[in-house]
Amino acid sequence: MIPGIHASTGGGLVKALDFLESRGLGCGQIFTSNQRRWKGREIREPEMKRFARTGLTVISHASYLINLASTSEETVTRSREALALELKRTYLLGMRWTVMHPGNHLGSGEDGALRRIAVYTRDILFESPRSVGVLFENTAGRGTSVGYSFEHLARILDAVGLPERTGVCLDTCHAFAAGYDISTVTGVDDMMAVFHRTVGLERLAAFHLNDSMHPCGSRRDRHARIGRGMMGLAPLRYLVSMEEFTGCPGVVETPGTDGDRFEDVVLLTGGSGEPGQSKE
Ligand SMILES: [Zn+2]
Ligand SMILES: [Zn+2]
């Protein structure tokens, strides 16, 4: 795996990239805009130029407000616009993927929610630059969220039908909270086998590497520092070392500062920030 962190953009996008590069990380994730606001920001020329120069794989994480599963016309309109603009920013920064939580059905039922997410995502991808795509992140399953099971993700991907432009970002904390017991090395193998049977490993484009504050199956989404949660260090270290995922970005999204998350990367990779894998 290519280790990296979610880098804070509080000081701007360029500062976030500076941090990732200064620590010798091979990948990173950023919010290109305030993740809790509908109004997106514009990407500026110096930011585009700076990102064009990096050799890092950087992915974006879309706004938490986007909910393509909603049955409210207003929410869907805003969500579609927000995702389209997120993909535009992703494109302008020379990145390939934006990670999105599938959505919440808010009582309308899961089947319709999965269908709406797929139909709207497909529309938006057709209207977006062809070099960018969406990674659906598995969820902890809190409330009425969908995407907590690999079956959900598979159904969305199948219905979108654009395999080059969609994939999955697998969050270990969310998977654990949703009931995939990866507190052991065997548990990791079992989960990946289920993932392969339902979604297919070839659709797995990124990982979020987080421990969990709450137990397996709790459906509660609280990330813990690496090795300090209910999952423990060994299974996460094992996952990071798996040969199948050599070229795959693995983003640490644990609480604290960028420096704390970098420490977690060091812990995961058992030494320097780089696990001796080539940067691809
Ligand atoms: Zn997320
Ligand atoms: Zn995540």
Side-chain angles (χ1 to χ4, degrees), residues 119-257:
V119 168
Y120 298 139
T121 302
R122 185 179 163 87
D123 280 359
I124 295 159
L125 285 173
F126 273 123
E127 293 158 9
S128 302
R130 288 179 60 177
S131 60
V132 297
V134 173
L135 299 181
F136 295 97
E137 179 173 1
N138 63 308
T139 63
R142 192 168 56 108
T144 65
S145 66
V146 293
Y148 55 83
S149 74
F150 298 157
E151 286 79 7
H152 282 183
L153 300 173
R155 281 168 66 185
I156 295 171
L157 294 179
D158 281 351
V160 178
L162 297 165
E164 299 303 314
R165 301 186 61 197
T166 53
V168 169
C169 175
L170 183 55
D171 187 305
T172 53
C173 168
H174 298 175
F176 185 72
Y180 297 95
D181 187 356
I182 45 172
S183 59
T184 61
V185 164
T186 320
V188 172
D189 281 335
D190 291 348
M191 175 182 76
M192 294 320 309
V194 173
F195 187 92
H196 189 49
R197 273 203 307 277
T198 48
V199 181
L201 284 187
E202 67 283 358
R203 307 301 299 276
L204 187 46
F207 283 91
H208 284 167
L209 303 166
N210 305 303
D211 206 331
S212 173
M213 302 249 261
H214 296 294
C216 181
S218 63
R219 296 196 157 211
R220 293 174 74 185
D221 175 12
R222 284 285 296 283
H223 299 182
R225 295 285 304 273
I226 301 298
R228 299 189 204 173
M230 309 288 289
M231 216 178 290
L233 181 57
L236 288 172
R237 257 198 181 161
Y238 170 70
L239 180 64
V240 168
S241 75
M242 285 174 85
E243 233 167 55
E244 290 91 322
F245 309 121
T246 301
C248 194
V251 177
V252 168
E253 296 179 309
T254 52
T257 63

Side-chain angles (χ1 to χ4, degrees), residues 63-122:
S63 166
Y64 293 133
L65 302 177
I66 294 176
N67 185 16
L68 297 175
S70 174
T71 51
S72 143
E73 210 172 301
E74 195 198 334
T75 305
V76 167
T77 302
R78 294 180 104 174
S79 297
R80 289 178 60 135
E81 196 179 286
L83 179 57
L85 288 172
E86 182 64 49
L87 287 168
K88 187 180 167 199
R89 288 190 293 271
T90 301
Y91 170 75
L92 290 174
L93 293 170
M95 309 189 296
R96 181 172 180 198
W97 297 116
T98 189
V99 175
M100 181 173 76
H101 299 177
N104 302 290
H105 67 76
L106 307 171
S108 66
E110 292 183 342
D111 290 341
L114 296 171
R115 212 165 39 237
R116 284 190 292 280
I117 293 162
V119 168
Y120 298 139
T121 302
R122 185 179 163 87

